[in-house]
Amino acid sequence: MKLWDKGFSTDKKIDHFTVGNDRELDLVLAKYDVIASKAHAKMLGKIGLLTKEETQALCDELDQITKSIEEGNFIIEDSFEDMHSKIEYVLTEKLGDTGKKIHTARSRNDQVLVAMHLYLKNELSEIKEMTQSLFDLLLKLADQHKEVLLPGYTHLQIAMPSSFGLWFSAYAESLVDDLYFIDAAYKVADQNPLGSAAGYGSSFPIDRSFTTEEMGFGTMKYNVVAAQMGRGKVEKATAFGMSSIAATLSKMAMDICLYMSQNFNFISFPDELTTGSSIMPHKKNPDVFELVRGKCNKLQAVPNQLILITNNLPSGYHRDLQLVKEVIVPAIQDLKACLEILTFSLKEIKVNKGILEDPKYDYLFSVDTLNELVLGGMPFRDAYKKMGMEINAGNFTPKRDIKHTHEGSLGNLCLEEIRNKMK
């Protein structure tokens, strides 16, 4: 069954190629199509295109479909092109001519659009909650380990003293930046496109304000052509927000992989969070964090994938837009999995409290020792040259009792200020 069926069949190869994996992806989106269909049915009743009895019958049957989706019993057989055709078939099978009326004043185009908007709103909210949980954990770890120093690096060379307080809270504050993008994506998604039909509106006297309120959208996408042009654009906005979070997670995962190695030995995890080698019995590999790094690097390519699919399309609908679904839906699941596993694993992190006792880290304190000379009255450039000569001559004695007091330094982490930023 196809919503565009005119009584003749298409070649099976064409069917297979054009449908692709839409049925699998639509199982994720089906409940949102039902939400939109219910709002649409109520609107059709409100404007007199459905009777009160027909509206109620459609809403009751749509509730049953929702129940079957929630229980995992809803399937889209190969005989159906997508969720829309399956849902309409069920309604028609149960309600006869009343079921056939559900498609009045809408197109599959705005059905897909509104389902995707509802889906993305929900997923963005979940991503934000999961990011908040990771943020809270990072600030907790920052406070817990704020006195423990570790080397800071530039160019992967020993640079200046850092601390676990700085390290953990750096990633926490980076997540605040990432959520600015997520909030922006949510604002794009929070616009109702239903009523744009095939992209040029409808001659039926539909009430788009009613469906906007019924589905909980903040506003509608008023211009029907603009609504259709939002196909792909809302997914791109989401992808940019996700890629920002992914960049933060990937960088932290890379830090963790480095810091776990024996050459660094800054942190460790319980055996159950690491993996072994098939031939080397001593190995405790950071596979979880390597996979987070790899998945998050892939996620950073998603905006570009969507750009390449949509970039040269004129206004109006084109079948290319079907392909954005198979990019964004799996990407969302991957990001949520990375957020979940990173939060789960970091709860068990163990930090090495004696890292800087190793003499190879003495040069970390060269800047603080230099600054002490400047505070004593020596011009900075002279102090710099003096310190450089002592280091070259092997006469450097580090000043380890460092005192950093300015906002955001290792002695003044501003954790509450960062927490307020997130709020």
Side-chain angles (χ1 to χ4, degrees):
M1 178 184 171
K2 297 177 177 66
L3 296 183
W4 47 270
D5 187 8
K6 303 180 188 72
F8 59 87
S9 62
T10 54
D11 188 280
K12 287 183 179 179
K13 284 185 182 292
I14 299 297
D15 268 357
H16 181 73
F17 184 77
T18 55
V19 171
N21 62 347
D22 249 24
R23 296 183 191 96
E24 298 167 38
L25 296 170
D26 278 2
L27 289 174
V28 177
L29 298 170
K31 71 175 182 178
Y32 302 101
D33 189 56
V34 174
I35 291 169
S37 293
K38 195 171 176 181
H40 186 69
K42 288 180 179 180
M43 184 275 295
L44 292 177
K46 180 176 180 290
I47 65 172
L49 289 178
L50 292 176
T51 66
K52 190 175 181 180
E53 292 73 23
E54 287 172 329
T55 302
Q56 189 60 54
L58 283 167
C59 288
D60 289 345
E61 195 54 48
L62 286 165
D63 286 340
Q64 289 302 308
I65 295 173
T66 297
K67 186 178 178 183
S68 72
I69 292 169
E70 290 172 348
E71 293 174 349
N73 298 323
F74 182 81
I75 57 173
I76 304 171
E77 297 88 347
D78 289 349
S79 53
F80 296 98
E81 192 173 16
D82 50 33
M83 61 182 170
H84 315 295
S85 52
K86 174 62 187 282
I87 290 168
E88 186 169 325
Y89 172 83
V90 172
L91 293 175
T92 302
E93 186 182 43
K94 298 284 186 180
L95 303 174
D97 285 348
T98 299
K100 296 177 183 179
K101 295 180 179 182
I102 189 66
H103 202 59
T104 306
R106 70 175 181 177
S107 163
R108 184 167 62 169
N109 291 340
D110 63 344
Q111 275 188 267
V112 176
L113 262 171
V114 71
M116 183 58 73
H117 276 249
L118 289 168
Y119 165 71
L120 291 178
K121 279 182 63 178
N122 183 74
E123 293 298 324
L124 286 165
S125 295
E126 286 194 12
I127 287 169
K128 191 167 182 177
E129 287 176 14
M130 296 176 80
T131 304
Q132 175 78 56
S133 295
L134 178 57
F135 171 89
D136 291 339
L137 175 61
L138 289 170
L139 281 194
K140 179 182 176 183
L141 290 168
D143 189 49
Q144 184 179 339
H145 301 293
K146 62 187 176 186
E147 304 297 336
V148 183
L149 298 182
L150 81 160
Y153 292 84
T154 62
H155 308 276
L156 272 181
Q157 305 292 306
I158 292 167
M160 290 179 65
S162 182
S163 70
F164 281 104
L166 269 181
W167 185 63
F168 285 121
S169 60
Y171 283 105
E173 191 167 5
S174 291
L175 290 173
V176 177
D177 294 342
D178 302 333
L179 289 190
Y180 292 149
F181 289 98
I182 294 293
D183 281 346
Y186 187 92
K187 196 166 186 178
V188 174
D190 196 23
Q191 303 175 91
N192 176 25
L194 186 61
S196 57
Y200 300 96
S202 172
S203 58
F204 291 106
I206 58 175
D207 187 341
R208 296 188 64 207
S209 294
F210 176 85
T211 57
T212 298
E213 186 174 344
E214 185 72 19
M215 289 184 284
F217 282 103
T219 185
M220 75 175 77
K221 198 75 171 183
Y222 290 97
N223 184 295
V224 291
V225 177
Q228 183 58 63
M229 289 195 299
R231 185 100 182 259
K233 190 171 186 178
V234 65
E235 292 90 344
K236 268 193 291 185
T238 300
F240 277 114
M242 290 167 53
S243 70
S244 187
I245 294 174
T248 300
L249 301 190
S250 176
K251 188 179 287 290
M252 186 170 202
M254 181 64 203
D255 277 359
I256 291 171
C257 291
L258 279 176
Y259 292 178
M260 281 180 69
S261 77
Q262 291 90 338
N263 300 79
F264 286 78
N265 194 30
F266 296 167
I267 59 174
S268 62
F269 289 87
D271 289 351
E272 57 267 26
L273 294 181
T274 63
T275 60
S277 162
S278 61
I279 63 170
M280 294 173 281
H282 67 281
K283 294 298 288 295
K284 289 176 64 175
N285 297 325
D287 285 28
V288 164
F289 306 103
E290 290 171 340
L291 286 171
V292 168
R293 181 178 61 197
K295 286 176 181 287
C296 286
N297 287 342
K298 278 181 63 182
L299 285 167
Q300 290 177 77
V302 171
N304 199 45
Q305 284 181 273
L306 295 174
I307 288 168
L308 291 173
I309 292 170
T310 62
N311 204 38
N312 63 345
L313 300 181
S315 61
Y317 176 73
H318 311 275
R319 194 62 181 261
D320 316 48
L321 293 165
Q322 175 182 311
L323 303 179
V324 302
K325 214 174 358 181
E326 65 188 47
V327 176
I328 196 67
V329 173
I332 287 170
Q333 303 312 314
D334 276 347
L335 180 61
K336 287 167 69 176
C338 288
L339 283 165
E340 182 180 18
I341 199 67
L342 203 52
T343 304
F344 175 79
S345 301
L346 282 172
K347 290 175 183 176
E348 304 299 327
I349 194 170
K350 299 174 183 175
V351 308
N352 181 349
K353 295 182 179 180
I355 299 168
L356 299 194
E357 292 171 7
D358 190 320
K360 70 183 176 186
Y361 295 121
D362 283 354
Y363 292 133
L364 283 170
F365 300 94
S366 69
V367 175
D368 290 278
T369 309
L370 183 158
N371 289 351
E372 192 72 14
L373 295 174
V374 174
L375 289 170
M378 187 179 292
F380 175 83
R381 190 52 59 200
D382 292 342
Y384 181 90
K385 288 180 180 178
K386 173 180 168 57
M387 195 58 53
M389 290 170 64
E390 287 183 5
I391 290 170
N392 286 335
N395 298 325
F396 172 66
T397 303
K399 177 188 182 302
R400 289 177 170 270
D401 56 331
I402 59 174
K403 188 178 182 183
H404 294 194
T405 59
H406 69 76
E407 295 98 325
S409 67
L410 60 85
N412 184 4
L413 295 175
C414 296
L415 299 185
E416 198 55 40
E417 288 81 356
I418 295 171
R419 186 173 283 108
N420 287 334
K421 253 193 188 184
M422 178 61 89
K423 289 177 183 176

